[in-house]
Structure formats: C-alpha cells, structure tokens
Short mmCIF file of all heavy atoms in Angstrom, two decimals:
data_model
loop_
_atom_site.label_atom_id
_atom_site.label_comp_id
_atom_site.label_asym_id
_atom_site.label_seq_id
_atom_site.Cartn_x
_atom_site.Cartn_y
_atom_site.Cartn_z
N PRO A 252 4.78 -12.13 10.15
CA PRO A 252 4.92 -12.75 8.79
C PRO A 252 4.64 -11.71 7.66
O PRO A 252 4.52 -12.14 6.46
CB PRO A 252 3.77 -13.81 8.79
CG PRO A 252 2.76 -13.27 9.71
CD PRO A 252 3.48 -12.53 10.77
N VAL A 253 4.62 -10.42 7.90
CA VAL A 253 4.29 -9.48 6.88
C VAL A 253 5.41 -9.44 5.83
O VAL A 253 6.60 -9.43 6.15
CB VAL A 253 4.13 -8.07 7.52
CG1 VAL A 253 4.13 -6.96 6.44
CG2 VAL A 253 2.85 -7.97 8.27
N ARG A 254 5.00 -9.42 4.57
CA ARG A 254 5.93 -9.37 3.47
C ARG A 254 6.08 -7.87 3.06
O ARG A 254 5.13 -7.25 2.64
CB ARG A 254 5.49 -10.17 2.25
CG ARG A 254 5.50 -11.69 2.55
CD ARG A 254 4.86 -12.51 1.42
NE ARG A 254 3.38 -12.36 1.42
CZ ARG A 254 2.58 -13.00 2.17
NH1 ARG A 254 3.09 -13.92 3.08
NH2 ARG A 254 1.29 -12.87 2.11
N LYS A 255 7.31 -7.37 3.17
CA LYS A 255 7.55 -5.95 2.91
C LYS A 255 7.46 -5.60 1.44
O LYS A 255 7.76 -6.48 0.58
CB LYS A 255 8.97 -5.59 3.44
CG LYS A 255 9.14 -5.63 4.95
CD LYS A 255 8.70 -4.31 5.59
CE LYS A 255 9.10 -4.31 7.07
NZ LYS A 255 8.77 -3.00 7.71
N LEU A 256 7.12 -4.38 1.16
CA LEU A 256 7.09 -3.93 -0.17
C LEU A 256 8.57 -3.72 -0.66
O LEU A 256 9.38 -3.22 0.08
CB LEU A 256 6.32 -2.61 -0.30
CG LEU A 256 6.09 -2.05 -1.75
CD1 LEU A 256 5.06 -2.92 -2.47
CD2 LEU A 256 5.54 -0.61 -1.62
N ALA A 257 8.84 -4.02 -1.91
CA ALA A 257 10.15 -3.89 -2.43
C ALA A 257 10.58 -2.42 -2.46
O ALA A 257 9.68 -1.51 -2.58
CB ALA A 257 10.25 -4.45 -3.89
N GLU A 258 11.85 -2.15 -2.30
CA GLU A 258 12.33 -0.78 -2.31
C GLU A 258 12.05 -0.12 -3.68
O GLU A 258 12.15 -0.73 -4.70
CB GLU A 258 13.85 -0.74 -2.04
CG GLU A 258 14.22 -0.87 -0.57
CD GLU A 258 13.98 0.38 0.20
OE1 GLU A 258 13.59 1.39 -0.39
OE2 GLU A 258 14.20 0.40 1.42
N ARG A 259 11.75 1.15 -3.64
CA ARG A 259 11.46 1.88 -4.87
C ARG A 259 12.77 2.14 -5.60
O ARG A 259 13.85 2.25 -4.98
CB ARG A 259 10.78 3.25 -4.55
CG ARG A 259 9.45 3.10 -3.81
CD ARG A 259 8.82 4.44 -3.62
NE ARG A 259 7.58 4.35 -2.82
CZ ARG A 259 7.55 4.46 -1.53
NH1 ARG A 259 8.66 4.67 -0.84
NH2 ARG A 259 6.38 4.32 -0.86
N PRO A 260 12.70 2.30 -6.92
CA PRO A 260 13.92 2.62 -7.67
C PRO A 260 14.44 3.95 -7.28
O PRO A 260 13.73 4.85 -6.75
CB PRO A 260 13.49 2.54 -9.12
CG PRO A 260 12.00 2.73 -9.08
CD PRO A 260 11.54 2.09 -7.79
N VAL A 261 15.76 4.23 -7.58
CA VAL A 261 16.34 5.50 -7.24
C VAL A 261 15.65 6.62 -8.04
O VAL A 261 15.46 6.46 -9.25
CB VAL A 261 17.84 5.51 -7.57
CG1 VAL A 261 18.44 6.87 -7.34
CG2 VAL A 261 18.56 4.42 -6.75
N TRP A 262 15.26 7.66 -7.37
CA TRP A 262 14.53 8.78 -7.97
C TRP A 262 15.53 9.78 -8.46
O TRP A 262 16.45 10.23 -7.75
CB TRP A 262 13.53 9.37 -7.00
CG TRP A 262 12.85 10.59 -7.65
CD1 TRP A 262 11.81 10.56 -8.57
CD2 TRP A 262 13.06 11.95 -7.35
NE1 TRP A 262 11.45 11.84 -8.88
CE2 TRP A 262 12.18 12.73 -8.13
CE3 TRP A 262 13.97 12.64 -6.48
CZ2 TRP A 262 12.15 14.13 -8.14
CZ3 TRP A 262 13.92 14.04 -6.49
CH2 TRP A 262 13.04 14.77 -7.30
N LEU A 263 15.31 10.23 -9.72
CA LEU A 263 16.18 11.30 -10.29
C LEU A 263 15.34 12.51 -10.50
O LEU A 263 14.21 12.44 -11.00
CB LEU A 263 16.72 10.84 -11.64
CG LEU A 263 17.56 9.51 -11.63
CD1 LEU A 263 17.99 9.16 -13.05
CD2 LEU A 263 18.78 9.71 -10.74
N SER A 264 15.86 13.67 -10.07
CA SER A 264 15.16 14.91 -10.27
C SER A 264 14.99 15.27 -11.71
O SER A 264 14.08 16.06 -12.11
CB SER A 264 15.85 16.08 -9.54
OG SER A 264 17.16 16.19 -10.04
N SER A 265 15.78 14.64 -12.57
CA SER A 265 15.62 14.79 -14.02
C SER A 265 16.07 13.54 -14.71
O SER A 265 17.06 12.93 -14.31
CB SER A 265 16.43 16.03 -14.53
OG SER A 265 16.41 16.03 -15.98
N GLU A 266 15.32 13.13 -15.77
CA GLU A 266 15.69 11.88 -16.46
C GLU A 266 17.00 11.98 -17.16
O GLU A 266 17.60 10.98 -17.50
CB GLU A 266 14.53 11.51 -17.41
CG GLU A 266 13.27 11.20 -16.72
CD GLU A 266 12.15 10.80 -17.73
OE1 GLU A 266 12.49 10.86 -18.96
OE2 GLU A 266 11.03 10.47 -17.29
N GLY A 267 17.46 13.19 -17.44
CA GLY A 267 18.71 13.38 -18.16
C GLY A 267 19.93 13.20 -17.30
O GLY A 267 21.04 13.19 -17.78
N ARG A 268 19.75 13.16 -15.98
CA ARG A 268 20.88 13.05 -15.07
C ARG A 268 21.23 11.60 -14.79
O ARG A 268 20.33 10.82 -14.49
CB ARG A 268 20.64 13.77 -13.76
CG ARG A 268 20.40 15.28 -13.91
CD ARG A 268 20.35 15.94 -12.57
NE ARG A 268 20.07 17.39 -12.73
CZ ARG A 268 18.87 17.93 -12.61
NH1 ARG A 268 17.82 17.16 -12.32
NH2 ARG A 268 18.71 19.22 -12.73
N PRO A 269 22.50 11.23 -14.90
CA PRO A 269 22.86 9.84 -14.63
C PRO A 269 22.84 9.57 -13.09
O PRO A 269 22.97 10.42 -12.29
CB PRO A 269 24.26 9.70 -15.17
CG PRO A 269 24.79 11.14 -15.06
CD PRO A 269 23.64 12.06 -15.31
N VAL A 270 22.68 8.28 -12.76
CA VAL A 270 22.76 7.88 -11.37
C VAL A 270 24.22 7.93 -10.93
O VAL A 270 25.12 7.52 -11.67
CB VAL A 270 22.23 6.43 -11.21
CG1 VAL A 270 22.26 5.98 -9.77
CG2 VAL A 270 20.82 6.35 -11.73
N SER A 271 24.42 8.46 -9.71
CA SER A 271 25.81 8.55 -9.25
C SER A 271 26.40 7.17 -9.10
O SER A 271 25.76 6.24 -8.66
CB SER A 271 25.76 9.21 -7.84
OG SER A 271 27.04 9.25 -7.27
N ASP A 272 27.74 7.08 -9.48
CA ASP A 272 28.41 5.78 -9.32
C ASP A 272 28.68 5.44 -7.90
O ASP A 272 28.87 4.28 -7.56
CB ASP A 272 29.75 5.87 -10.14
CG ASP A 272 29.50 6.03 -11.59
OD1 ASP A 272 28.51 5.64 -12.12
OD2 ASP A 272 30.41 6.64 -12.27
N LEU A 273 28.70 6.41 -7.03
CA LEU A 273 29.01 6.17 -5.63
C LEU A 273 27.79 5.70 -4.89
O LEU A 273 26.64 6.24 -5.15
CB LEU A 273 29.59 7.44 -4.94
CG LEU A 273 30.88 8.00 -5.49
CD1 LEU A 273 31.24 9.30 -4.83
CD2 LEU A 273 32.03 6.99 -5.30
N PRO A 274 27.90 4.76 -4.03
CA PRO A 274 26.71 4.29 -3.26
C PRO A 274 26.32 5.39 -2.30
O PRO A 274 27.09 6.22 -1.86
CB PRO A 274 27.22 3.05 -2.59
CG PRO A 274 28.72 3.26 -2.41
CD PRO A 274 29.11 4.03 -3.67
N PRO A 275 25.01 5.37 -1.88
CA PRO A 275 24.59 6.30 -0.84
C PRO A 275 25.27 6.07 0.45
O PRO A 275 25.63 4.93 0.86
CB PRO A 275 23.08 6.02 -0.78
CG PRO A 275 22.88 4.64 -1.22
CD PRO A 275 23.95 4.38 -2.26
N VAL A 276 25.46 7.12 1.23
CA VAL A 276 26.04 7.00 2.57
C VAL A 276 25.13 6.24 3.50
O VAL A 276 23.90 6.47 3.55
CB VAL A 276 26.33 8.43 3.16
CG1 VAL A 276 26.85 8.32 4.57
CG2 VAL A 276 27.25 9.19 2.25
N GLU A 277 25.70 5.35 4.23
CA GLU A 277 24.92 4.52 5.14
C GLU A 277 24.58 5.38 6.35
O GLU A 277 25.49 5.88 7.05
CB GLU A 277 25.65 3.27 5.57
CG GLU A 277 25.85 2.26 4.40
CD GLU A 277 24.48 1.68 3.97
OE1 GLU A 277 23.60 1.59 4.84
OE2 GLU A 277 24.40 1.21 2.84
N ILE A 278 23.31 5.49 6.73
CA ILE A 278 22.88 6.20 7.88
C ILE A 278 22.80 5.27 9.10
O ILE A 278 22.18 4.20 8.96
CB ILE A 278 21.53 6.90 7.65
CG1 ILE A 278 21.61 7.81 6.45
CG2 ILE A 278 21.03 7.59 8.92
CD1 ILE A 278 20.24 8.48 6.09
N PRO A 279 23.52 5.59 10.15
CA PRO A 279 23.51 4.63 11.30
C PRO A 279 22.08 4.48 11.85
O PRO A 279 21.32 5.46 11.89
CB PRO A 279 24.44 5.28 12.30
CG PRO A 279 24.48 6.71 11.90
CD PRO A 279 24.30 6.76 10.44
N ALA A 280 21.75 3.29 12.25
CA ALA A 280 20.40 2.99 12.81
C ALA A 280 20.32 3.63 14.20
O ALA A 280 21.28 3.80 14.91
CB ALA A 280 20.18 1.49 12.94
N SER A 281 19.08 4.03 14.56
CA SER A 281 18.82 4.60 15.86
C SER A 281 19.01 3.56 16.95
O SER A 281 18.85 2.38 16.74
CB SER A 281 17.45 5.20 15.90
OG SER A 281 17.28 6.18 14.93
N ALA A 282 19.32 4.06 18.10
CA ALA A 282 19.45 3.11 19.25
C ALA A 282 18.14 2.43 19.53
O ALA A 282 17.07 3.07 19.42
CB ALA A 282 19.92 3.88 20.50
N PRO A 283 18.19 1.12 19.77
CA PRO A 283 16.92 0.45 20.02
C PRO A 283 16.15 0.99 21.24
O PRO A 283 16.79 1.28 22.23
CB PRO A 283 17.32 -1.04 20.26
CG PRO A 283 18.79 -0.90 20.61
CD PRO A 283 19.35 0.29 19.95
N ILE A 284 14.86 1.08 21.12
CA ILE A 284 14.00 1.56 22.17
C ILE A 284 12.98 0.49 22.48
O ILE A 284 12.51 -0.15 21.61
CB ILE A 284 13.32 2.86 21.74
CG1 ILE A 284 14.38 3.92 21.47
CG2 ILE A 284 12.41 3.32 22.84
CD1 ILE A 284 13.76 5.24 20.97
N GLU A 285 12.73 0.38 23.75
CA GLU A 285 11.74 -0.62 24.16
C GLU A 285 10.41 -0.38 23.45
O GLU A 285 9.97 0.73 23.39
CB GLU A 285 11.56 -0.58 25.66
CG GLU A 285 12.78 -1.03 26.45
CD GLU A 285 12.51 -0.98 27.92
OE1 GLU A 285 11.38 -0.89 28.33
OE2 GLU A 285 13.51 -1.05 28.69
N PRO A 286 9.79 -1.48 22.93
CA PRO A 286 8.57 -1.25 22.17
C PRO A 286 7.46 -0.59 22.95
O PRO A 286 6.77 0.21 22.41
CB PRO A 286 8.17 -2.72 21.81
CG PRO A 286 9.43 -3.47 21.86
CD PRO A 286 10.26 -2.85 22.97
N ASP A 287 7.35 -0.84 24.26
CA ASP A 287 6.21 -0.33 24.95
C ASP A 287 6.39 1.13 25.34
O ASP A 287 5.52 1.72 25.99
CB ASP A 287 5.93 -1.16 26.20
CG ASP A 287 7.12 -1.17 27.15
OD1 ASP A 287 8.24 -0.80 26.74
OD2 ASP A 287 6.92 -1.55 28.30
N VAL A 288 7.53 1.78 25.02
CA VAL A 288 7.65 3.23 25.30
C VAL A 288 7.55 4.09 24.10
O VAL A 288 7.66 5.26 24.18
CB VAL A 288 9.01 3.50 25.98
CG1 VAL A 288 9.18 2.70 27.24
CG2 VAL A 288 10.19 3.24 25.07
N THR A 289 7.33 3.47 22.94
CA THR A 289 7.05 4.24 21.71
C THR A 289 5.56 4.39 21.62
O THR A 289 4.74 3.56 21.98
CB THR A 289 7.63 3.55 20.48
OG1 THR A 289 7.01 2.34 20.32
CG2 THR A 289 9.13 3.39 20.60
N ASP A 290 5.15 5.50 21.03
CA ASP A 290 3.75 5.69 20.83
C ASP A 290 3.54 6.54 19.55
O ASP A 290 4.53 6.85 18.93
CB ASP A 290 3.16 6.41 22.08
CG ASP A 290 1.74 5.98 22.28
OD1 ASP A 290 0.91 6.37 21.49
OD2 ASP A 290 1.48 5.27 23.23
N GLY A 291 2.38 6.87 19.21
CA GLY A 291 2.28 7.35 17.90
C GLY A 291 1.27 8.40 17.55
O GLY A 291 0.44 8.79 18.32
N ASN A 292 1.47 8.90 16.34
CA ASN A 292 0.53 9.84 15.74
C ASN A 292 -0.73 9.13 15.39
O ASN A 292 -0.74 7.98 15.15
CB ASN A 292 1.22 10.44 14.53
CG ASN A 292 0.41 11.60 13.99
OD1 ASN A 292 -0.41 12.17 14.72
ND2 ASN A 292 0.61 11.88 12.71
#
C-alpha cells in the first residue's frame, strides 16, 4: 500500500535553457527477476 513520491520536475542545467519539445527516450525495462534472487547493498 505504499504511496510513491511524485516524480521530480525536469531538471535544467541552466534556467535560461528551454525544455526540449521532444519527449525523453523510453528506456526498456529490465527482464523480471525472481524476488528471492536479488539481494542488496
């Protein structure tokens, strides 16, 4: 039931630069991995 934090606004390296009209390239999702084989830092 966790409510995710809203996505942050697009970051610009300079306020004088306009946001690109083109949408960002969609990065394909990683292949699903069984939960019990992932581990962590």
